[in-house]
Amino acid sequence: RFCSVCYNITEEDPCPVCADSSRDHTTVCVVEEPLDVLAIEQARVYSGVYHVLHGVLAPSQGMFAEDLRIEELMKRVRGGDVEEIILATNPTSEGDWTASYLLSQLESLDVRVTRLGRGLPMGGDLEYADSVTLSRALERREEV
C-alpha cells in the first residue's frame, strides 16, 4: 500500500521514513518513483523525508498533473511544517517539465525550493559527455 504521508510503497502506514522522528521533516525531497527513494537512501547522505509523485508530466503518454500526487504535495506544504522542497526529478525533458510545473505551483507558498545539482559523473570522461551535461557542469561550477 501507499504511505498516507509521502506515497511511497510501504507495509506500515506511515512508512518507516515518515515515522522516524530523527529525520528532518521540514525538508521534503520530491521524486518520481518509489525506486528513487531507495537510490537516495542507499547513498546515506539525506536525512529529510520524501514525496513520491508516481510519474512525471507527459501529456503525450496520458500523464497530467491530476494523475500525479501534486495536490497532496501542495497540501503538505500548506500544512506549514515544510521549509524546503528538493525537486529530485530525473534529468529528462519530462522530469524538467515536471520540476518547472512544481516550481510554478510552489512559488506563491513560503517554502524554499531547490533542485538537485547536475554535471559530470565521477569517473566520467569529458570526451563522452553530451553538450547539455557539459553546459550544466560549467554553469554550476564551484569555487575551489
Side-chain angles (χ1 to χ4, degrees):
R1 65 180 156 195
F2 295 129
C3 173
S4 61
V5 179
C6 72
Y7 298 93
N8 196 9
I9 296 171
T10 185
E11 291 180 5
E12 305 141 24
D13 189 24
C15 72
V17 172
C18 290
D20 187 346
S21 62
S22 69
R23 295 190 77 111
D24 178 5
H25 288 261
T26 66
T27 304
V28 178
C29 183
V30 179
V31 297
E32 294 177 13
E33 302 292 343
L35 288 176
D36 299 331
V37 173
L38 288 175
I40 294 171
E41 285 297 292
Q42 287 176 349
R44 297 177 189 246
V45 294
Y46 178 66
S47 61
V49 293
Y50 298 92
H51 188 88
V52 182
L53 295 172
H54 291 278
V56 289
L57 293 173
S60 63
Q61 298 172 354
M63 290 296 287
F64 300 93
E66 57 271 11
D67 299 314
L68 306 177
R69 299 289 185 166
I70 294 173
E71 187 52 41
E72 292 87 342
L73 174 64
M74 296 303 135
K75 287 179 186 172
R76 205 168 163 185
V77 173
R78 286 185 200 110
D81 295 334
V82 178
E83 295 174 8
E84 180 181 2
I85 295 289
I86 302 170
L87 299 176
T89 55
N90 290 319
T92 62
S93 55
E94 292 88 357
D96 285 345
W97 190 21
T98 303
S100 294
Y101 178 81
L102 290 172
L103 179 60
S104 72
Q105 298 298 301
L106 293 163
E107 279 179 333
S108 64
L109 303 175
D110 187 26
V111 64
R112 178 178 181 220
V113 181
T114 59
R115 183 96 163 100
L116 289 183
R118 296 189 187 168
L120 299 169
M122 290 300 295
D125 230 319
L126 284 179
E127 68 181 287
Y128 300 117
D130 63 275
S131 60
V132 173
T133 300
L134 280 173
S135 170
R136 287 185 175 152
L138 285 167
E139 289 170 3
R140 293 172 174 90
R141 64 190 183 276
E142 299 175 353
E143 188 90 22
V144 291

